[in-house]
């Protein structure tokens, strides 16, 4: 058994730079984004509106289109125009046209009075207050100007974006391909969660947790099952990913034990770019690429640690931004904020540590409470966490009230205590 890892310990930011240098967005495909549940896809083109919205002046309320210059003088109602109808008439002085919300405002009219401010009897209209030109009229291009760029490349499609695409009539658009991410668990002690577990065994939580995290990051997750700690079994699994995935995540087998085979296999099949990070939890996290003949992009491989918290935190800090970049996301990083500690935080002596926390808004600032014991096998420390505190190494605790930087991994939590 080796006593010393042959891999130098790289700082977190250097590890992130190395990964980013190997990531280029995957290909682009054109799809009907409205009818293919394309939410979560990232736009690969800028979207322009060809026409203004509205395209003609429209009534913003139900009421009467009239000439503001007529003041409060009574008018004769000459017609009714509903939404979707063609006006085809003119409002002359002393006349008005009954209009519904969204109806085109007839020529000659320069204001719409709300029905609530009028009375109509036998075709005679009285208005209770004078109007100014433009009142209650949605002018041409008020919402979207002709030729305006409404969405930019790198935007993730959500409800508003899909609505905008439909509004400007862009149904087929260029989006980035979803990365295919294969996930492999390793370990002789690792078992399917719903099967028999022998004494000393553990249920495979990593593969399922990582696949969920992969999907949350907008990718397609493919399970490669559990590989025994055997070189030929694990080699075959890695080669399977070379064939059919853009990215491979492995769990376990990256530490210093005699049954930790992932690093030597990655060195054999490809290039290991780093094999240790000055980072807690997840020091042995490894990044490698495997070139493949006939294909433009190499397989990106992240060897994640076996302990469940280490694997998920390493995923968040190193893998997720890469997966977002692969699909062209213009903002691949989680937001960074400054938070005030509600509980004291105990740092690790030698490495920066990402500690799980629950962040909410309290008394005018972002406040973080710890999720409790931060052991790398205690998955419960991830539960409810919407942030990771970036805790610099040291020997003194950060007291309650101190400020730290945090990565926001989810929506702010309600804070009621
Ligand atoms: P390793 O890095 O392979 O030595 O794994 C370290 C520890 O992580 C093991 O002793 C297990 O307790 C745990 N572990 C490894 N793989 C998994 C997995 N797929 N799911 C849950 N725990 C795991
Ligand atoms: Mg193992």
């Amino acid at each position: 058994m080796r006593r010393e890892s042959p891999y130098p310990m790289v700082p977190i930011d250097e590890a992130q730079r190395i990964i980013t240098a190997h990531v280029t967005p995957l290909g682009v495909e054109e799809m009907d984004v409205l009818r293919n549940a394309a939410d979560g896809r990232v736009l690969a083109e800028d979207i322009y509106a060809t026409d203004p919205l509205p395209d003609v002046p429209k009534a913003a309320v139900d009421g009467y289109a009239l000439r503001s210059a007529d003041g409060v003088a009574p008018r004769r109602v000459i017609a009714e125009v509903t939404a979707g109808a063609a006006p085809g008439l003119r409002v002359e002085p002393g006349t008005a046209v009954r209009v519904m919300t969204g109806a085109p405002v007839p020529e000659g009219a320069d204001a719409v009075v709300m029905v609530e401010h009028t009375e109509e009897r036998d075709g005679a209209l009285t208005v209770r207050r004078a109007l100014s030109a433009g009142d209650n009229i949605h002018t041409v291009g008020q919402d979207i100007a002709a030729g305006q760029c409404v969405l930019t490349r790198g935007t993730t499609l959500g409800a508003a974006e899909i609505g905008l695409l439909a509004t400007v009539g862009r149904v087929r658009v260029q989006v980035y391909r979803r990365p295919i991410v294969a996930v492999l668990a390793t370990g002789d002690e690792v078992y399917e969660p719903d099967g028999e577990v022998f004494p000393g065994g553990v249920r495979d939580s990593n593969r399922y947790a990582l696949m969920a995290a992969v999907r949350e990051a907008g990718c397609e997750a493919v399970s490669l099952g559990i590989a025994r700690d055997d070189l030929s079994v694990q080699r075959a699994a890695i080669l399977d990913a070379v064939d059919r995935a853009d990215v491979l995540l492995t769990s376990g087998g990256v530490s210093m034990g005699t049954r930790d085979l992932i690093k030597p296999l990655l060195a054999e099949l490809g290039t290991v770019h780093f094999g240790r990070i000055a980072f807690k939890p997840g020091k042995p996290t490894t990044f490698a690429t495997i070139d493949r003949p006939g294909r433009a992009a190499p397989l990106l491989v992240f060897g994640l640690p076996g302990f469940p918290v280490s694997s998920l935190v390493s995923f968040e800090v190193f893998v997720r931004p890469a997966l977002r970049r692969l699909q062209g996301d213009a903002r691949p990083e989680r937001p960074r904020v400054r938070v005030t500690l509600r509980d004291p935080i105990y740092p690790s002596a030698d490495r920066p540590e990402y500690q799980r926390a629950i962040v909410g808004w309290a008394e005018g600032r972002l406040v973080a409470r710890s999720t409790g014991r931060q052991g790398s096998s205690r998955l419960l420390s991830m539960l409810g966490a919407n942030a990771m505190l970036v805790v610099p190494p040291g020997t003194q605790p950060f007291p309650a009230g101190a400020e730290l930087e945090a990565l926001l991994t989810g929506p702010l939590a309600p804070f009621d205590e």
Side-chain angles (χ1 to χ4, degrees):
M1 195 154 96
R2 293 184 85 124
R3 306 284 135 195
E4 263 310 314
S5 167
Y7 293 99
M9 189 101 89
V10 302
I12 294 169
D13 55 351
E14 193 186 330
Q16 289 167 327
R17 267 199 305 277
I18 292 170
I19 295 166
T20 304
H22 285 90
V23 173
T24 23
L26 299 173
V28 160
E29 57 194 351
E30 188 183 287
M31 66 187 282
D32 177 333
V33 284
L34 304 188
R35 296 173 188 103
N36 281 301
D39 25 299
R41 288 294 195 118
V42 180
L43 266 184
E45 59 170 323
D46 295 338
I47 303 290
Y48 294 86
T50 42
D51 306 315
L53 187 79
D55 58 338
V56 297
K58 286 186 172 174
V61 296
D62 298 318
Y64 297 85
L66 40 68
R67 302 171 77 107
S68 59
D70 291 350
V72 292
R75 276 93 160 172
R76 195 163 40 80
V77 179
I78 56 168
E80 177 176 289
V81 179
T82 52
L89 45 82
R90 232 188 115 72
V91 172
E92 301 293 349
T95 68
V97 166
R98 199 180 303 119
V99 288
M100 306 303 142
T101 304
V105 174
E107 240 181 276
D110 66 354
V112 173
V113 59
M114 283 174 83
V115 67
E116 290 88 337
H117 299 157
T118 65
E119 258 153 61
E120 186 189 340
R121 188 161 302 149
D122 303 326
L125 175 76
T126 35
V127 303
R128 277 200 294 263
R129 58 181 83 166
L131 292 143
S132 310
D135 280 359
N136 298 322
I137 291 183
H138 236 146
T139 55
V140 170
Q142 182 178 325
D143 292 339
I144 299 174
Q148 184 180 341
C149 179
V150 292
L151 293 167
T152 53
R153 187 208 321 211
T155 302
T156 304
L157 300 182
E161 292 77 14
I162 300 258
L164 270 169
L165 288 169
T167 298
V168 302
R170 286 299 311 274
V171 174
R172 296 196 68 82
V173 302
Q174 304 277 326
V175 291
Y176 288 100
R177 187 162 73 67
R178 277 188 199 282
I180 298 170
V181 182
V183 184
L184 174 72
T186 71
D188 288 338
E189 81 284 28
V190 178
Y191 292 89
E192 269 300 342
D194 53 359
E196 192 181 353
V197 180
F198 287 84
V202 295
R203 295 197 177 89
D204 180 7
S205 66
N206 290 351
R207 183 165 42 107
Y208 293 104
L210 287 170
M211 285 173 64
V214 159
R215 288 189 295 265
E216 189 277 334
C219 306
E220 190 183 319
V222 174
S223 170
L224 297 184
I226 304 166
R228 287 188 293 115
D229 289 323
D230 174 284
L231 275 173
S232 60
V233 172
Q234 293 189 4
R235 186 185 294 112
I238 295 171
L239 290 174
D240 188 13
V242 169
D243 265 355
R244 58 190 183 117
D246 300 300
V247 179
L248 168 64
L249 309 182
T250 63
S251 133
V254 285
S255 297
M256 294 289 290
T258 53
R259 299 275 97 201
D260 290 329
L261 309 173
I262 290 292
K263 281 178 194 176
L265 274 171
L266 293 177
E268 172 199 317
L269 298 169
T271 309
V272 174
H273 300 287
F274 59 78
R276 271 197 311 164
I277 309 175
F279 166 74
K280 189 179 175 183
K283 179 171 75 173
T285 295
T286 297
F287 174 63
T289 51
I290 302 178
D291 288 327
R292 32 196 179 181
R295 287 176 68 170
L299 177 73
L300 307 179
V301 188
F302 295 87
L304 301 176
F307 282 118
V309 172
S310 311
S311 84
L312 277 183
V313 174
S314 299
F315 176 91
E316 181 61 57
V317 177
F318 301 104
V319 184
R320 193 180 186 281
L323 297 184
R324 296 304 307 170
R325 283 194 171 85
L326 274 179
Q327 45 197 311
D329 188 350
R331 289 162 60 195
E333 307 282 353
R334 299 282 204 187
R336 277 180 180 263
V337 293
R338 280 198 82 73
V339 298
T340 303
L341 305 181
R342 202 199 62 173
D343 316 305
I345 292 290
Y346 298 85
S348 156
D350 59 336
R351 283 170 287 157
E353 183 176 3
Y354 280 64
Q355 294 198 14
R356 282 71 66 205
I358 301 164
V359 169
W361 187 254
E363 289 159 22
R365 54 191 177 171
L366 290 173
V367 174
R369 59 192 146 114
S370 174
T371 53
R373 281 184 298 110
Q374 298 287 307
S376 56
S377 58
R378 186 174 169 261
L379 209 41
L380 282 171
S381 77
M382 299 285 301
L383 203 63
N386 60 356
M388 287 195 292
L389 300 173
V390 184
V391 185
T395 49
Q396 297 301 314
F398 293 89
E403 284 190 12
L404 280 179
E405 198 179 342
L407 223 55
L408 275 187
T409 56
L412 288 186
F415 240 43
D416 33 33
E417 308 126 70

